Amino acid sequence: VLALSPDRAGAAFGSDLLRDGAVGTVALVALGGAGAVLFGAAAAWLVSLAQFPGRSAFEWLLVLPLAAPSYVLAYAYTGMTWASDSPIEVRGFWGAVFIYSVGHYPYVYLAARAAFVSQSSCALEAARTLGAKPSAVMWRVALPLARPGIAAGGALACMEIAADYGAAQHFGLTTLSTAIFRAWYAHGAPHAALQISAVLLLAALVFLVVERWARGRASYAGGSTRWRSLPRYELGPVGGAFAFAFCAALVFLGAALPLAWLTRLALLHPHFQEIAGPFGNSMLLASAGAVATLALACAIAVAARRATGIGKTSLYAAAMGYAAPGAVIAMGALALFALAREAGWIGGFTSGLALAALFWGYAARFAAAGVAPIDAGLARLSKGLDASARTLGAGPWRRFARVDLPIAAPALAAAALILFVEVL
């Protein structure tokens, strides 16, 4: 995989493309990921621990940007600014940063919100009793306890940005993902494409290892009084208006405005009969693929929490798969099926095998999207609960089904929603 063509010109081309792609990817991940973390964590804190007008509606509306892939947002904003002759154009590097920030913050929002609502009421109430102001409670209590969820959502957003091809290609940027396709299809250099893919996967592995190392041995388990409504801060008129405007702006920029533009185009050029069949197939595949991938994600998360060698290895492998473009995963799956056919293990590529390869690709590509929020939710469980269940004779899987999953239900729901939208 790492071997370049012996031709010097091809080697130089691959080296230049790798360098330019790495620089572009790092810049987009740093700025786009920072925007997604900032927007997602702030929105999650507001809807979870503050009271302001429209909070209950924004709790679900803030997820809407997940309904549109980043390249769809890029097309919509480019079309809007071009058609209306707007003085503000969404294009180039900063246009991509804007698209990634407003389109990927729901990854952080879902994981962070699951972490916030799973927090212990006693810790927050104790801080308030000691006279801490809302800002102090947020910075010194709520955010540190929610750090695994925020880090998990941020990792998902950053890896999604690194693996994205459509928006970066639309804005004419060179990233590792666009470099893979450019080397393979435009220049006919598959060895260079495979080398760039290996670098992308290695970068994802390093990113995950650094995040785990930064977390260290810190424990994020809360107290025993979680199962009571969390105390919410009543924001004043100015604070409430600011919170409403902030959440409304995220929904408007990340979903309402671009989807309204696309709806207008769809009504101008209706083809509803032509998309009915593909829509039904998409919903069916998304549902089945999400269920299969969620089961795998749960198994990886619980194995990693038991600190087994297989669990840690599968956790890192899932993260590497999430950083790879879908076409790279598909090419790898097809290559393995071709080897199996040459060995005589399988016959032709039937519809059953095609579906098996497709679900395999979903699991390999998106397992990390389910593992991250589940793992963050499990990290908040008290070790005493697990020890008590073990003392009472419960095995690992029974403890997982009867103790871990019910308490980590918000994180599990977030993982299911993320996986469904990812596959769709």
Side-chain angles (χ1 to χ4, degrees), residues 221-290:
S224 58
T225 57
R226 157 64 190 95
W227 308 112
R228 187 167 71 237
S229 297
L230 289 173
R232 288 195 176 94
Y233 290 96
E234 289 284 349
L235 299 180
V238 176
F242 175 80
F244 179 88
F246 176 76
C247 294
L250 290 181
V251 176
F252 179 76
L253 295 175
L257 181 60
L259 293 181
W261 175 261
L262 295 176
T263 301
R264 172 182 174 274
L265 295 181
L267 293 177
L268 289 176
H269 309 282
H271 299 281
F272 298 117
Q273 293 182 350
E274 298 178 11
I275 67 173
F279 176 78
N281 293 336
S282 298
M283 296 298 292
L284 183 61
L285 287 175
S287 301

Side-chain angles (χ1 to χ4, degrees), residues 45 127-128 131-144 233 235:
W45 185 87
R128 297 179 67 175
K133 296 181 179 180
S135 58
V137 174
M138 179 184 72
W139 287 108
R140 302 183 64 181
V141 181
L143 279 181
Y233 290 96
L235 299 180

Side-chain angles (χ1 to χ4, degrees), residues 45 49 116 119-120 122-128 130-148 150 219-221 233 380:
W45 185 87
L49 300 176
F116 280 128
Q119 288 183 0
S120 170
C122 63
L124 302 178
E125 290 175 348
R128 297 179 67 175
L130 293 173
K133 296 181 179 180
S135 58
V137 174
M138 179 184 72
W139 287 108
R140 302 183 64 181
V141 181
L143 279 181
L145 287 175
R147 179 173 170 262
I150 296 174
S219 176
Y220 299 90
Y233 290 96
R380 303 221 354 88

